[in-house]
Amino acid sequence: MDGAALMHGAVGRRAFIQRAGWVGLGAFGVIGHGGPLGLGAIRPAEAAADVREILLETRQVKWELSPGRSITAMAYNGRVPGPEIRVKEGERLRVVLKNSLGEPTTIHWHGVDVPNSMDGVPGITQKPVPPGGTFVYEFEARPAGTRWYHTHFQEHRQMDLGLVAPLIIEPAGTEPFPFDREYTLVLDDWATGAGRALPATREGTAGGRGEMGGMMGGMMGGGMMGRGMGGMMGGGHHSTPAYDTMTINGKAYPATEPLRVRKGERARLRLINASADHTHVIRLAGHQLRVTHTDGNPLVEAVAVDAVPIAPSERYDVLVNADRPGSWWLYCAQPGHAAAGEQALLVYDGREGRRPDAVKEGTAGLHLWHYSLGQGRDVLAPASGTVRSFSQTLSGGMMGSDAWTINGKQYPSTDPIAVNRGERARVRLGNMSMEAHPMHLHGQSFAVLSVNGQRLAHPLVKDSVDVEAHMGAVDIEFTAHNPGDWFFHCHKPMHMEGGMIALVKIAG
Ligand code: C2O
Ligand code: CU
């Protein structure tokens, strides 16, 4: 499949993902360094044929973002992003993590309804996996959709260095939006120390009301400058890194892989924003994007737009009707992002060598995706009756501070959302701060009931929702069907580490 080939270069994904058993593990010999991988926990007898077993090794690598720009990264199986894992909905997945970093790590399965003990949150659901240690994650892969996995240990450092990867769960039933070929595109921001720093996304765009983040950030003195000064003057605060490079699948243009299509085809793009600090506004010149899934969950029908803003940790699946032969830029319209590497060619067969029209920055005049445009399907687990309501005010970051709060408190002092299994929980999120917060719930997806006071007739199903800066408001609702203690937090690691986390405690 072309998408997989793009992700993994010359080596097909089958080389990374094998059917269970020692045969499969043998294929991973290539990643081992000097000796056995300490897989004593796995006995061949357990490696039944209906379990898909995958070995992931975390270690430091030198990674070339673009010619002449290499960094010391942290990688799963030597690549950035890590290998795409692809399974069928309901299939049992066993991932053996071998930590060859010089520091602890864990893996979180973002958007997957895993049992609590497999959720990868250190101190809550497991102990961190020490250097040289192993941990076995095992769960049934569901629900279907574009999911992802990433470290949940010191995210700000480890995610920024590359410990992110796609997890694609193919539907067990029929695919609601058929396509001819697909590409998975992981978007990421990097602070390499070389190149001009890009302003942080402040406003958020996903609700459809905000200005372009880059513009606003620029007006406010530049994310870098403003925050950098705050950090310096605050003594002991760490400032936002100077993000200067933007990548698609671990590469900045001109190193990005071109996408190929044939005239008449329908191509599916799975867009995953693994960035720490930036909303990307993805556009394909000459074409509309038809949004079919929000965070992996299908809409009732596709929504045609010119560009799709994607907040950190969000995913959108879009279809492209390949009806304009030529060579076109797929790129981010946020000011400066394409120039910082976030552009790739989409080339029709037979149109190689065509010069594409130049990238156009900004979103003026474009029809942008926002939450109220989509109609979600009612796929949440049925509830037993009781509805409990909670309200969370998000604030912090005042005067360059790195403290971020929920109802005035920083985690672990934040008030938990306590519910019983089977109940419905409604959470009203209000943003009193100057930055958008993409809030993510572990363990189950939620419905987005309303955005900035506007009720959605058909709530979207998501696991991350961007709450816009300056009084942005979002109401969500979920069925507490997965017992355990779950993180609910802002997916900007700076904000999360600054305290913007609450626990959702589901008594089983
Ligand atoms: Cu994408 Cu707490 O995670
Ligand atoms: Cu935040």
Side-chain angles (χ1 to χ4, degrees), residues 436-437 490 495 500:
H437 302 292
C490 176
H495 297 183
M500 196 172 274

Side-chain angles (χ1 to χ4, degrees), residues 404 435-439 490-492 495-496 500:
W404 295 93
E435 296 196 30
H437 302 292
M439 297 297 292
C490 176
H491 217 284
K492 291 177 175 167
H495 297 183
M496 177 184 172
M500 196 172 274

Side-chain angles (χ1 to χ4, degrees), residues 18 111 238 241 384 419:
Q18 297 279 340
H238 40 279
S384 64
V419 285

Side-chain angles (χ1 to χ4, degrees), residues 6 11 22 129 164 173 193 224 279 289 342 388 499:
L6 177 86
V11 190
W22 291 108
V129 184
V164 303
M224 216 281 286
T279 291
L289 301 175
E342 203 174 356
R388 294 183 194 274

Side-chain angles (χ1 to χ4, degrees), residues 374-445:
Q375 302 188 355
R377 300 186 189 208
D378 186 13
V379 292
L380 292 190
S384 64
T386 312
V387 179
R388 294 183 194 274
S389 297
F390 303 85
S391 145
Q392 295 192 336
T393 299
L394 312 174
S395 39
M398 297 307 287
M399 313 292 285
S401 147
D402 287 325
W404 295 93
T405 58
I406 298 176
N407 292 342
K409 296 173 187 165
Q410 282 173 285
Y411 183 81
S413 303
T414 46
D415 300 320
I417 287 178
V419 285
N420 297 309
R421 188 178 192 174
E423 291 176 341
R424 278 265 156 127
R426 240 173 234 170
V427 187
R428 165 154 292 183
L429 298 161
N431 187 352
M432 298 298 285
S433 77
M434 313 266 278
E435 296 196 30
H437 302 292
M439 297 297 292
H440 166 54
L441 174 63
H442 286 212
Q444 45 249 299
S445 295

